[in-house]
Amino acid sequence: MKKLFVLFSMIVLLATASFADAPPPAAPAGEAPASAAPSMAQEEPKPDPAGLATGDKKDAVDAAGNAFVVAEPTDKTAPDYAQKKKDFDDYQGQATKEPLAVKLADTVGHVRIATNVAWTLNTGYLVLFMQAGFALLTVGLVRKKNAAHLMMLNFAAYVFAFIAYYAVGFAFQFGAVAVNAAPTNLGGTPTLNHFLLGSGLWGFLGGKGFFLSGPAYDAGSHVFALFEVVFMETAGYIIVGAICERITFWSFLLCEIFIGAILYPTFGCWVWGGGWLSQLGNTMGLGHGYVDFAGSTVVHAVGGFAAMAISIVLGPRLGKFGPGGKVRAFPAHNLVYVVTGTFILLFGWMGFNPGSTLGATDLRIGVVAINTNLAAVSGSATALLFWYWKFGKPDITMACNGMLAGLVAITAPCAFVSPTSAFIIGILAGLVVCLGVLFNDHVTKIDDPCGAISVHGFGGLLGGICLGLFADGTYGAGWNGVGATTYLGQAGRGVTGLLYGDTKQFLVQLMGAAICAAWAFGATFIVFKAVNAVKPMRVSKEVELEGLDVPQFGLPGYPEDAPSPLGS
Amino acid sequence: MKKIEAVIKPFKLSDVKDKLMGLGAHGMTVTEVKGLGRQKGHPELYRGAEYTIDFVPKTKLEVVVAEDQVEKMAEAIISAAHTGQMGDGKIFVTPVEETIRIRTKELGREAV
C-alpha cells in the first residue's frame, strides 16, 4: 500500500511537470484587452501574464467605490435610463475636453491595482508564516517522543496540500470566480469564468485554471492564487492537532491531498468562488447570501470538522481514556513552543483577516485589524479566567486555545462588526473552546490532543453564526451582488445581522454553517472510513507506545536524543 | 578514599558547591536527576484532567575525598542544603578502591 501510494504520488508529480511544460497561451502584452471596444466584449478574455494590461482607468475609483469611467447604459427600458445616458454623455464630453485626465486615470487605476497587489501578497506571506506558528504550537502540546512526527506532519501538510491545490484545488474553488465574485480590487481575474458543475447563480464547482496554467496564467490571478493557497494550507494543518501521535504517514498524506484537492475547494467555491451559497441572496432573497469574510467556516470549520472525522476513524490515543472512561492527561512537553507558536499565529492572523479585503485601498482594514486583536484578547482572557475559576489554576495551553478560538470566531464577522461586538464574540469563543474541550473529553470521548476540533470546528461555526447576529450594516454594501444601491430601505447599508434587523441574514448564516460542518465531517468520514477499512490508518500499538519518531522517521526530535555516539 | 553522593534540591547546588570548595574539595561531578522519596508525588491538572508528578527534579552531586575529610564535607553539605522541608535530599557515602588521573597517571590521594 505504501509503495503503491508513493508510486501514485510520483505519477501525479510527473503529470504535473509535463503539464507545466506546455507552451503558455498567446497573450501579447501590448494588446490590452482592457481597452477593447464594447463590441469585443463577447470574446473570451485573455490572460495577462506580464501584468501590463491589468489596471487602467476602469479601475480608478474614489473612496466610496464610484468609478471614474461612466459605462454606457444598454437597457433602454430601464426607468433610470435617461439619467444614466445623461451621465454617460457628460463623461464623454468631459473626456473629449480633457484627454490628459483620461490618461492620468489609466495611471491611477494601475497604481490602485498595484497597491492592492502589494497588500495582498504581503498579507499572504503573513498567513504563510502561520505554518511555523502552528508547527511550534502543536509540537509543544504533544509528548516529546512524538516531536519529529509532529514536525514532519506540519511540514508535509504544506508541501502535499499545496501540490494538490495547484493541480486541481484552485480551479475547483475559483475557476468561475469572475462569474459572480470577481475580485475587483485585484483587477477582476476575468479569465476564470467557467463552472464545471452548475452555472449562473447555482455554481457548485469551478472549472478553469487547472495547474494554474492556460486562462489562470495571469499576473492578477496568481496574486489571488498565492493568497488563497495559504488559506487552504491553514485548513490543511488544522487536522494535525487532532490526529497526531497515532496516524501513519502515508494516510496523513492522503488526508492532505484530499483536503487540498477536494474538501476545501468545494466548500470554498460555494462561498468565495461565486458558488450557490454565496448567491442565496439573489436566488432566494436570503440577506446577502451566505457570508464569511475571511474563513471562520470556509477555512477553520472545514479543517476542524475534517479533523473530528479522522480522529473518530483513528480512535483515541492508547491510554487516553482509562477504565470507565476516566480521562487521562498527556501533558504538553514544551510550553515555550506553545506560547511562541500562538503569538506567531496571532501575528499571521493580521494577514489572514485584514488581508481578506484583497486590497489596501479598502480602508475597513483598520477596523478588521483591531477587531481581530480584540477577539483574540477577550477569547484568551475568558478561557484563562474560566479555567482559573473552575480548576483553581490557570492553564497556559487553554489560555492559548482561547486566544486562537477568539481569532477563529472573529474571522468571519471581523469586517462587519463593531469593536464591542468583536470583544463579545471573543468572550463567546473563549467559553465555547473551554466547554468544547471538556465536552470532547467527557462526553464524546473524541481524542483531540491539541484542541483543534474545539478551536477551529466549534469556534468556526460560532464565527459564521455571530456574523448573522452582530453585523451592523456599516460595511459590505452590494456584498455578493445584493443591495448595491439600497438595502433594508437604506442607501449604502451593508451586511446586517439579527440584532440590527435582518432575520434572513441570520437564517442563512445558520444554514451555511450547518452545511459546512455536515460537508466537512460527512465527506471526510466516508472517505477515510473506507480507506481505513482497506488498510488501517493507525500505527501499531508498539510504535505508538515507543513514540512515532524513530519507527516512522528514523530520528528522534531533539538534539539531546540524537543517536550519534556521545561526544562526537 | 570515599565517594560522597548527595541528592539535593537544585536551587541549593550553588551554596553546597561554595562550601565544599571552601573546605578544599578539588572538584565534583553534578547530574540533573529526578527522584521519588517520602516527599512523594503531587497531583496536578492538565487541560482539566488529573495526573501525578511522581518524580521531582533533584540535583545529584558526587565528590571523592580522603577518608578524614568525609565528616566535615558531609556536614558542610547538610548545613548548605538544609531547609527543614520535606524533599531536602539524602547523602550516601561509599568506599572508593582507586583513583587515577588520566593526564599524569597519578594514583590514589594525589589523583583526587
Side-chain angles (χ1 to χ4, degrees), chain A residues 267-329:
Chain A
F267 192 74
C269 173
W270 298 351
V271 183
W272 289 347
W276 70 281
L277 272 177
S278 69
Q279 301 305 311
L280 286 175
N282 294 316
T283 53
M284 304 184 72
L286 289 170
H288 282 81
Y290 183 65
V291 178
D292 182 342
F293 185 72
S296 286
T297 53
V298 176
V299 178
H300 294 278
V302 164
F305 281 93
M308 189 186 214
I310 303 169
S311 178
I312 291 173
V313 170
L314 291 171
R317 291 167 293 173
L318 289 175
K320 172 67 188 175
F321 299 108
K326 184 181 153 52
V327 185
R328 295 218 187 91

Side-chain angles (χ1 to χ4, degrees), chain A residues 330 332 387 393 395 397 401, chain B residues 44-51:
Chain A
F330 293 147
W387 226 257
K393 285 183 187 178
D395 186 313
T397 69
N401 272 181
Chain B
E44 285 295 340
L45 282 173
Y46 173 69
R47 294 171 79 86
E50 206 172 276
Y51 72 103

Side-chain angles (χ1 to χ4, degrees), chain A residues 75-96:
Chain A
D75 182 6
K76 291 190 176 171
T77 59
D80 55 352
Y81 176 77
Q83 180 60 42
K84 281 194 167 163
K85 180 80 173 103
K86 183 176 174 301
D87 291 347
F88 173 72
D89 290 341
D90 286 353
Y91 165 72
Q92 290 288 14
Q94 286 286 330
T96 318

Side-chain angles (χ1 to χ4, degrees), chain B:
Chain B
M1 279 167 299
K2 298 273 190 191
K3 181 166 83 168
I4 303 174
E5 258 180 44
V7 179
I8 59 172
K9 290 192 163 166
F11 68 90
K12 285 291 191 183
L13 177 63
S14 185
D15 291 351
V16 171
K17 181 210 71 180
D18 288 348
K19 272 261 170 102
L20 293 180
M21 296 304 273
L23 286 175
H26 296 292
M28 63 196 72
T29 305
V30 172
T31 324
E32 288 178 12
V33 295
K34 284 183 180 177
L36 170 71
R38 291 209 190 140
Q39 188 184 4
K40 292 278 185 284
H42 49 99
E44 285 295 340
L45 282 173
Y46 173 69
R47 294 171 79 86
E50 206 172 276
Y51 72 103
T52 318
I53 296 183
D54 287 321
F55 296 94
V56 291
K58 296 283 171 191
T59 298
K60 187 169 84 175
L61 176 144
E62 291 164 274
V63 56
V64 175
V65 296
E67 255 162 77
D68 54 0
Q69 300 273 305
V70 170
E71 199 168 328
K72 67 175 182 181
M73 290 282 180
E75 272 167 12
I77 294 172
I78 291 167
S79 73
H82 182 82
T83 69
Q85 304 292 314
M86 212 127 56
D88 269 356
K90 284 207 171 61
I91 297 174
F92 307 100
V93 182
T94 48
V96 173
E97 283 188 12
E98 187 58 283
T99 307
I100 308 165
R101 174 172 281 121
I102 293 173
R103 175 170 56 89
T104 58
K105 304 185 183 91
E106 284 163 291
L107 296 178
R109 202 172 171 135
E110 298 303 309
V112 169

